[in-house]
Amino acid sequence: MKVISDLNQFTLVDRSLAAVWHPCTQMKHHESFPLIAITKGKGAWLYDENGNPLLDCISSWWTNLFGHSNARINQAITEQLDKIEHVMLAGFTHLPVVELSEKLSALTDHYLGHVFYASDGASAVEIALKMSHHFWQLNGKPQKKKFVCLQNGYHGETLGALAVTDVAIFREAYGSLLQDVYTVRSPDARKAKAGESSEDVAKQAAKELEQLFEKEHGQIAAIIVEPLVQCAGHMAMYSPEYLRLVRDLCDRYAVHLIADEIAVGCGRSGKFFACEHAGIWPDFLTLSKGISGGYLPLSLCLTTEEIYRAFYSDQTQQGFLHSHSYTGNPLACAAALACLKIFESDQVLEKNQLRSQDLANAFAWAKTDIRIEHWRQQGMILAFDIKEDCLKSASTFPREMFATSLEEGILIRPIGNTIYVMPPYILSAEETLQMGKSVQRALEKVLA
């Protein structure tokens, strides 16, 4: 281990490489692609240690909704800090966690509620999986313990969440640790053949799921999906018809539906919850990332009254005995409440309809570039793919595009040959247009 004795002789990047193991990173790549040291953020912009601005086009890994250093969220956290910073939620409660739970339930028309809290998205998924598994045990069906996931789906990297993830790069090293699951066809609209619509692809995928349920429903606890957009899976987008069909199948075959809205919730899809586009509610709904505005670690799982009541008993072992030290942290809940207040007072969902059109206009050039295919958009998420035969090196393209975009003053992080943007909900039309032009210039340099 490299030890730095005189901190003043080394840059922040040097110190980070010597002391920090960065996430989702092959650390050796930083020999040729240096880390960027960020010293402050304001609005949609990040600033490095030399004061250079970067437009945060991916909301700092899909978390930031209303800009960095947002005055209203700052104030909410500061006010809460003067009251109570944290107290365990086992045997205690506090106003921010109660108010947040009430408001989230109201956003589902009270179909879902009884919110269970954690810190990160994968933990919220673990909660949903464990609750479903335990529910069937409590209802005399312990054989219902297998899960169904979609091809190309991603739900996190703890062992339960990783088991229902179908992205090879994350699973390969840990396959021997994971539970066996059923993996079914993704309704990814890019699979449409000539003359087929996204609805046709959705119906075909649902038909395969129906065949599985018909045969194995007695063994299946739940199916987990990312509604409308499989984000880590190259931003695969699909028709809401699939969600409607899956909901019907789950009702028919007594299988739980888990909606992982960690990335697509909180307005990303155009509605607060992506499931709303299909007019359905799941049995479990998970949120994280944007719920705290990108400020503090917070995740949660909402579920139905029926599932909650199954655990309600005089017997301790019949309870849901799962916990996290920082469950329902008051500061994180205060940040989330501030975000929900901004949604309401600023009419964010309505204004995002205009912002999403600005986004489409800023990337209209990509629709006619012959090197690009599968241009797609769902609300405030826009993506397109670079044709494989146009890449000099498929393995290095994401890093080259990332580095070149930094030179253009923007932060993007391609997934394979997929370029996407998922900006905060505060960009002006001019900033959005600037983003589109900057991505175009960076792409020209990388593909040249």
Side-chain angles (χ1 to χ4, degrees), residues 29 33 72 88 104 135 143 197 202 253 256 326 375 389 433:
H29 290 163
F33 292 92
R72 284 180 281 182
M88 66 179 185
L104 288 170
F135 173 90
Q143 73 278 10
S197 66
Y253 289 99
H256 289 146
Y326 284 93
W375 191 103
D389 58 5
L433 188 61

Side-chain angles (χ1 to χ4, degrees), residues 32-189:
S32 52
F33 292 92
L35 281 169
I36 307 298
I38 297 298
T39 56
K40 68 175 183 177
K42 186 64 181 175
W45 296 86
L46 297 166
Y47 296 86
D48 69 16
E49 57 189 345
N50 297 314
N52 298 314
L54 288 172
L55 185 60
D56 190 352
C57 305
I58 58 170
S59 300
S60 291
W61 242 347
W62 321 340
T63 63
N64 191 284
L65 301 187
F66 302 116
H68 301 280
S69 193
N70 181 286
R72 284 180 281 182
I73 303 175
N74 288 358
Q75 182 180 359
I77 294 172
T78 301
E79 290 176 358
Q80 182 58 43
L81 191 60
D82 289 332
K83 298 172 184 175
I84 177 67
E85 79 298 331
H86 183 65
V87 62
M88 66 179 185
L89 208 59
F92 294 86
T93 193
H94 52 80
L95 186 59
V97 79
V98 173
E99 287 189 343
L100 179 57
S101 302
E102 291 171 342
K103 289 180 181 297
L104 288 170
S105 181
L107 286 170
T108 73
D109 294 326
H110 300 288
Y111 185 89
L112 301 171
H114 298 295
V115 189
F116 200 102
Y117 290 86
S119 300
D120 58 89
S123 295
V125 169
E126 296 278 341
I127 288 164
L129 297 173
K130 287 177 68 176
M131 278 185 178
S132 177
H133 173 86
H134 198 169
F135 173 90
W136 293 117
Q137 284 185 330
L138 295 172
N139 280 269
K141 297 180 180 179
Q143 73 278 10
K144 288 176 72 68
K145 58 184 179 181
K146 297 199 73 171
F147 296 101
V148 181
C149 63
L150 303 188
Q151 290 175 345
N152 212 33
Y154 175 88
H155 301 286
E157 291 158 49
T158 51
L159 293 182
L162 189 57
V164 292
T165 287
D166 186 51
V167 179
I169 194 171
F170 297 115
R171 286 181 59 96
E172 286 171 348
Y174 312 107
S176 61
L177 297 174
L178 305 178
Q179 176 188 358
D180 288 335
V181 299
Y182 297 110
T183 304
V184 295
R185 176 177 174 174
S186 166
D188 183 352

